Amino acid sequence: MKSNRLQQFLIPLLAVLLGMIAGSIVMLASGYNPIAGFYALVYGAFGDTYYIGETIRQTTPYILTGLAVAFAFRTGLFNIGVEGQLIVGWLAAVWVGVSFDLPKIIHLPLALLAAALAGALWGLIPGVLKAYLKVHEVIITIMMNYIALHVTNAIIRSVLSDEGFKSKPVKESASLHSDFFDAITHHSTMHYGIFIAVAAAFVMWFLLERTTKGFELRAVGFNQHASQYAGMNVRANIILAMVISGAFAGVAGAMEGLGTFGNISTKAGFTGLGFDGIAVALIGGNNAFGILLSALLFGALKVGALEMPSSAGVPTELVDIIIALIIFFVASSYMIRWLLSRWQKGAE
């Protein structure tokens, strides 16, 4: 048992380390100094309070998209639609934030709830199709990403925008902006959403590990036939899993709409936050607290990469290569497990 837990901790760590080593080789082969490159990366993520604030801000939606993907994974589903669920959540949060004049104690929770409900609704559709018609959730969720992108663009242009491409700013009573964080991080875009993201990680852990419904959801994910035989409602649990996963993604969209940007604009393509959430979940081992760490890693990589071209002359695309290599090694976990088992046998 202890050995399995140790491996669950070591495998993502080794995957990150191997990804960094492979990234260093790519840098050397491309004529760049890997030491200078990684120094610039770390400095760009944690070098001063502004960079730290930006790293935490970038980490916030990654936590929630990672939780959305991981929740589905833990219940036997593969939610590729986190990106679309995030976009509709972003739209719903901004619509509530722009359209109502309410006290902050009502307005902000209402906007967050609207985002969660929008994401949940976008997860409900593939959940129902999976439960009742056996339509594979991967196909449906991929298609619904594109529907979300183009429908939200149309709504922004026709309903929310005076300029044709961007909504009005959300009202102060619905904003996650923090004057305190603004002051201590030298005007970074860090906001109160980080507390919501950390609370969401606790909610996922508690729901899956400490409740009867969480046990049912995990049991259905492990074996639908055995769960049905035990008297569990398999269809209802499949739908509920997709709804909760979508709600996490919708709240991730609210972090962008109410916090980072304070509005929503038309998009030529996807934000990438939902797709990166797949990697965050994998590196975090689909564990709520592991996701907090992997989201911080991704936030640091994304923000720190912006410093690499100016300080080390390394193109930011190399960071994407490093991330891809990390994912490759996580996906190759069987090889890492084999190496660890050989090492443990040798130590004995």
Side-chain angles (χ1 to χ4, degrees), residues 43 260 282:
Y43 181 82
T260 305
L282 284 172

Side-chain angles (χ1 to χ4, degrees), residues 77-132:
L77 299 165
F78 196 5
N79 184 7
I80 305 293
V82 170
E83 181 73 25
Q85 292 148 16
L86 178 147
I87 291 171
V88 297
W90 188 340
L91 176 72
V94 170
W95 177 74
V96 171
V98 168
S99 302
F100 298 97
D101 285 304
L102 297 166
K104 194 176 186 81
I105 196 170
I106 298 173
H107 201 179
L108 180 55
L110 184 63
L112 292 169
L113 179 61
L117 289 174
L121 176 63
W122 222 249
L124 173 67
I125 298 168
V128 169
L129 291 172
K130 169 78 172 182
Y132 285 94

Side-chain angles (χ1 to χ4, degrees), residues 294-305:
S294 63
L296 179 61
L297 170 67
F298 267 68
L301 286 171
K302 289 291 184 178
V303 173

Side-chain angles (χ1 to χ4, degrees), residues 127-342:
V128 169
L129 291 172
K130 169 78 172 182
Y132 285 94
L133 300 177
K134 306 298 182 186
V135 180
H136 204 290
E137 72 275 9
V138 170
I139 305 299
I140 298 300
T141 51
I142 288 174
M143 294 299 101
M144 290 194 70
N145 285 334
Y146 289 93
I147 296 170
L149 175 67
H150 296 296
V151 167
T152 54
N153 280 347
I155 292 172
I156 293 164
R157 291 191 188 99
S158 60
V159 178
L160 291 178
S161 176
D162 292 333
E163 304 174 25
F165 68 93
K166 185 169 67 173
S167 74
K168 296 174 183 177
V170 298
K171 292 183 169 64
E172 181 60 31
S173 56
S175 175
L176 286 165
H177 174 76
S178 166
D179 290 331
F180 172 72
F181 288 144
D182 183 80
I184 67 171
T185 61
H186 293 87
H187 310 295
S188 78
T189 52
M190 183 182 175
H191 51 78
Y192 287 126
I194 185 62
F195 298 121
I196 296 170
V198 172
F202 176 79
V203 168
M204 173 177 153
W205 170 81
F206 186 82
L207 177 60
L208 286 178
E209 306 295 342
R210 292 291 184 270
T211 67
T212 304
K213 179 53 69 175
F215 175 79
E216 279 192 28
L217 289 166
R218 287 185 289 119
V220 170
F222 283 130
N223 191 319
Q224 291 185 15
H225 299 294
S227 300
Q228 185 83 47
Y229 183 77
M232 298 177 191
N233 189 331
V234 171
R235 286 177 174 174
N237 279 296
I238 288 172
I239 294 168
L240 180 62
M242 286 300 295
V243 164
I244 295 173
S245 176
F248 281 129
V251 175
M255 298 301 100
E256 301 297 275
L258 305 178
T260 305
F261 298 99
N263 59 28
I264 187 169
S265 57
T266 56
K267 296 170 181 61
F270 295 120
T271 67
L273 292 168
F275 298 120
D276 286 344
I278 298 170
V280 170
L282 284 172
I283 293 173
N286 296 317
N287 175 282
F289 299 112
I291 286 166
L292 294 177
L293 298 176
S294 63
L296 179 61
L297 170 67
F298 267 68
L301 286 171
K302 289 291 184 178
V303 173
L306 302 176
E307 186 70 17
M308 292 174 73
S310 58
S311 296
V314 177
T316 55
E317 288 79 7
L318 277 175
V319 175
D320 293 324
I321 293 173
I322 292 168
I323 290 171
L325 288 166
I326 290 170
I327 296 168
F328 168 79
F329 286 114
V330 170
S332 306
S333 58
Y334 174 80
M335 178 180 69
I336 298 175
R337 281 195 183 92
W338 180 79
L339 290 171
L340 282 173
S341 64
R342 297 279 294 182

